[in-house]
Amino acid sequence: MNKNLQKALFDIEKVIAIMDAIEAAYLTIEVVPEELERANKAVNAFYALTDLVEEVQNDLENLAGDESVIDAIYAANDVKRRKRSLKIEE
C-alpha cells in the first residue's frame, strides 16, 4: 500500500479517536437554558464534522481497495510480459 495512503488511514483513525473523546467529555454536560440554542448548534456542528470524517475514512478505505486491484492488475501484466520475453529468448 502507498505510504501516503497508509498514513492518511492511520491519521483518520486518530481524528476519530479525538472526536470520540470530545463527545464523551463535552457533549454530555448540562447546559443552562439560556445557552441551550448555542449548545444545540455546537452539537449539530460536532455531528456534522463527525459525518464528514466518516466520509473521508470511507473514501480512503475505498481508495485502498482500488489500489489493491491496481496492484493485482500490474502484477498480472508483469507476469504476461515475462512470459512473452521468455518465449522471445527461446
Side-chain angles (χ1 to χ4, degrees):
M1 179 183 305
N2 178 302
K3 70 177 182 175
N4 294 324
L5 178 57
Q6 196 169 22
K7 181 182 180 313
L9 285 166
F10 182 66
D11 287 347
I12 203 74
E13 289 294 331
K14 292 190 277 186
V15 171
I16 290 170
I18 291 168
M19 297 295 288
D20 289 345
I22 291 169
E23 181 179 32
Y26 298 110
L27 298 187
T28 57
I29 59 174
E30 293 292 322
V31 177
V32 293
E34 303 84 46
E35 294 293 327
L36 188 58
E37 183 179 346
R38 188 170 160 210
N40 284 337
K41 287 180 182 180
V43 169
N44 290 335
F46 172 84
Y47 286 115
L49 181 58
T50 298
D51 291 344
L52 290 171
V53 168
E54 288 176 5
E55 284 182 37
V56 170
Q57 182 182 35
N58 289 336
D59 291 344
L60 289 171
E61 289 171 355
N62 289 336
L63 186 59
D66 293 347
E67 186 179 43
S68 296
V69 170
I70 291 168
D71 288 346
I73 291 169
Y74 277 124
N77 287 338
D78 188 47
V79 168
K80 287 179 186 177
R81 273 192 298 275
R82 288 179 189 207
K83 282 184 180 179
R84 280 192 297 250
S85 68
L86 287 175
K87 289 180 183 177
I88 292 171
E89 290 177 9
E90 293 175 353

